[in-house]
Amino acid sequence: MHLSKKCSAFKVVLSALLIVALLQLIYLSFLSKFHGKQQRYRYSELFGGSAGKRNAQPEKNTRKERLRYSLSTGGIFDSSGQYRVYKNLIKSDFTTNQISGPDLNSNVLVLATHTTINNLHHLESLLERWQNPLSVAIFAHGDDVKFATALVYALSFFCPHIQGLVDFHLVCLSEEMASFPEQDHEHFVGLEDCPSVFSRLETHRDKHKNYDMNGNVSYPNNLLRNIARSGTESSYILVIDIDMMPSADLHQQFLNLVMKRQPTSDEVFVLPAFEIRHARKIPANKAELVQLYQVGEVRPFYEELCPRCQAPTNYSQWVNNHVRGIGTLEVAYTLTWVDPWEPFYIGPRTVPLYNENFKQYGFNRISQACELHVAGYKFSVLSSAFVVHRGFKIQGEFHARKDEENKHNRVLFRSFKEGLKAKYPSSTRRC
């Protein structure tokens, strides 16, 4: 009798467990179907299915049509014929609205940057700091051409701050072509909002070491810089790498500077460059930066790899230069360029373009700084503005062909300097 009761109780418990398991399966099935419907809706919203046509916002449909048109042109070839360029692949609302009514204050200074898809995740924090118009040139190769097109479109679709401020340009090899990502379902699975797009980009981060592309493809850094620059109509441009961060409120501070001090056409404004330990938070202002600098958590950019490349900035003078007030930006001192200085600077849009013969590692920025010097530019160092690279640059972090590329570009640089003599025959300056 006692055994019979135990068996009955066991059957009840077992039946209850089976019912719970069945209900869980039904619930999971419902969630799966609901998620699938949600994904199909988001996909149709992105690419114009029936749900998208009924419910999608008109401006997002317009963005989709602009992307279709940009891709339908097939892009243009660069001067070497080696690369295909899709300029203004996706325009920001800011750029589009400039046609009808320019915002003169916002259009004074634009930040231009370049990257591959594996570093595009830096865009989130860069835009959060900058909060003004930004032009991004992306280089993609092989399967990354489709991935870059898809993810850039998703960013412009799901992220209002990117829709409003960021222009995207795409560069690939001349034999490759970008296409509208309508059939690339796998790139959009799980994308529901802006954070989910950046999470997808995070999965691609650090896919390659610096300049180490698949198939021995050369990264055209100077072409990308020029594309990002030419994609804007601003009066002044700041060109930095995407893994660098400017000081906070730089845009407004610089606007105040040019309003009270009319710059000359032959002047560029130098931002001292630093690098910070990965674990540290990027400083927002000079006071925070100097505090970290004094305890060794921040140091001059490239201090370990090429200290001479930034030494002419005169860091000790800049650190000890008195800032009149928080938020005040002025010229601290003016320098003449000396070899091998490669400063980061804000310059008028009329400054010479970067020489696109320089690719991969070595001499790509110094060649442009050298030309500025020969062309007669002066270098005015700003009192409290700066740029910071995330992480210390150390020996051994670069790809195997770095020294070989540097040697090749050194020879190219010698030829480039000779060419400047013919380009600026009346100049007495030399590199």
Side-chain angles (χ1 to χ4, degrees):
M1 184 72 174
H2 183 66
L3 183 61
S4 176
K5 286 183 178 180
K6 281 189 174 181
C7 288
S8 297
F10 177 75
K11 288 179 180 178
V12 170
V13 172
L14 183 60
S15 298
L17 289 173
L18 288 172
I19 291 170
V20 170
L22 181 61
L23 288 174
Q24 286 181 328
L25 285 172
I26 293 171
Y27 177 68
L28 289 173
S29 177
F30 169 76
L31 282 181
S32 178
K33 288 180 180 179
F34 176 75
H35 183 70
K37 286 182 179 179
Q38 192 176 41
Q39 284 295 305
R40 285 193 295 274
Y41 169 74
R42 298 308 272 166
Y43 189 81
S44 64
E45 192 180 13
L46 278 163
F47 298 113
S50 57
K53 290 179 181 176
R54 286 197 303 267
N55 302 318
Q57 298 177 25
E59 63 269 22
K60 290 188 174 180
N61 278 331
T62 302
R63 186 171 291 104
K64 178 189 67 179
E65 293 310 315
R66 289 203 299 262
L67 174 60
R68 281 188 185 277
Y69 174 76
S70 297
L71 292 169
S72 70
T73 65
I76 58 173
F77 292 136
D78 77 315
S79 59
S80 72
Q82 297 178 348
Y83 300 96
R84 187 185 300 270
V85 178
Y86 293 90
K87 190 175 176 182
N88 288 317
L89 180 71
I90 295 180
K91 290 184 180 181
S92 66
D93 294 339
F94 173 82
T95 300
T96 304
N97 293 337
Q98 288 296 298
I99 298 172
S100 56
D103 181 347
L104 297 179
N105 286 347
S106 294
N107 208 32
V108 169
L109 174 61
V110 168
L111 191 154
T113 189
H114 60 100
T115 183
T116 56
I117 196 70
N118 57 302
N119 275 323
L120 189 56
H121 62 277
H122 288 303
L123 177 63
E124 184 174 28
S125 55
L126 178 59
L127 186 58
E128 183 180 357
R129 170 65 64 91
W130 181 245
Q131 296 183 5
N132 278 281
L134 200 154
S135 179
V136 185
I138 302 170
F139 179 67
H141 167 57
D143 292 339
D144 279 352
V145 177
K146 281 188 175 183
F147 185 72
T149 307
L151 268 292
V152 162
Y153 177 50
L155 284 171
S156 72
F157 187 89
F158 287 118
C159 306
H161 56 308
I162 290 177
Q163 294 170 12
L165 294 171
V166 182
D167 293 338
F168 290 101
H169 320 278
L170 180 65
V171 178
C172 56
L173 297 181
S174 57
E175 61 267 25
E176 299 173 327
M177 289 190 70
S179 58
F180 193 75
E182 198 160 15
Q183 303 304 318
D184 300 326
H185 295 252
E186 72 276 8
H187 294 317
F188 296 95
V189 174
L191 299 186
E192 300 175 354
D193 52 23
C194 190
S196 66
V197 184
F198 276 106
S199 294
R200 181 65 52 80
L201 287 171
E202 282 282 347
T203 65
H204 247 60
R205 69 179 298 171
D206 303 326
K207 184 179 177 183
H208 307 293
K209 287 186 177 181
N210 290 349
Y211 304 118
D212 192 12
M213 306 288 292
N214 284 335
N216 292 326
V217 173
S218 294
Y219 182 73
N221 33 35
N222 277 358
L223 170 63
L224 294 168
R225 290 181 175 115
N226 288 340
I227 295 299
R229 269 185 52 176
S230 63
T232 172
E233 297 298 325
S234 65
S235 303
Y236 290 88
I237 303 169
L238 167 61
V239 181
I240 59 175
D241 297 343
I242 202 167
D243 57 356
M244 303 192 82
M245 187 82 79
S247 48
D249 300 320
L250 173 57
H251 188 278
Q252 184 59 49
Q253 291 173 8
F254 185 77
L255 176 61
N256 295 339
L257 173 68
V258 297
M259 287 178 66
K260 67 182 181 182
R261 176 191 181 279
Q262 184 63 41
T264 59
S265 60
D266 61 350
E267 182 178 27
V268 297
F269 300 92
V270 175
L271 284 71
F274 297 85
E275 53 190 38
I276 188 170
R277 290 191 194 277
H278 270 299
R280 286 290 188 175
K281 180 183 177 183
I282 303 291
N285 54 52
K286 183 173 182 177
E288 293 178 2
L289 182 133
V290 169
Q291 188 175 18
L292 292 169
Y293 180 83
Q294 290 172 338
V295 295
E297 296 299 291
V298 163
R299 66 186 188 183
F301 185 61
Y302 256 46
E303 185 177 63
E304 182 175 328
L305 298 179
C306 182
R308 293 173 58 245
C309 293
Q310 296 298 326
T313 301
N314 197 337
Y315 285 92
S316 60
Q317 180 176 353
W318 185 83
V319 166
N320 293 305
N321 179 263
H322 178 67
V323 179
R324 293 184 183 179
I326 296 176
T328 300
L329 189 63
E330 54 192 22
V331 171
Y333 48 92
T334 299
L335 299 170
T336 299
W337 183 87
V338 293
D339 187 34
W341 193 24
E342 44 184 26
F344 293 92
Y345 63 85
I346 296 171
R349 62 176 296 103
T350 53
V351 298
L353 293 172
Y354 293 85
N355 187 284
E356 296 172 8
N357 291 320
F358 292 93
K359 304 180 183 73
Q360 290 292 108
Y361 185 86
F363 296 90
N364 49 79
R365 285 195 310 107
I366 191 177
S367 55
Q368 204 250 4
C370 162
E371 180 167 356
L372 291 181
H373 170 66
V374 174
Y377 283 81
K378 59 183 178 181
F379 295 78
S380 298
V381 182
L382 293 176
S383 59
S384 56
F386 55 86
V387 291
V388 181
H389 178 270
R390 297 176 178 89
F392 283 174
K393 290 277 191 180
I394 59 176
Q395 297 287 351
E397 72 170 4
F398 287 92
H399 57 298
R401 293 185 295 122
K402 173 203 165 209
D403 291 340
E404 177 187 337
E405 293 162 1
N406 200 45
K407 183 178 179 181
H408 169 79
N409 283 342
R410 188 185 302 277
V411 175
L412 188 61
F413 185 52
R414 293 194 189 105
S415 174
F416 171 79
K417 290 190 290 185
E418 288 299 314
L420 291 180
K421 294 177 183 178
K423 188 173 181 179
Y424 301 96
S426 61
S427 176
T428 58
R429 295 183 173 187
R430 296 290 180 263
C431 294

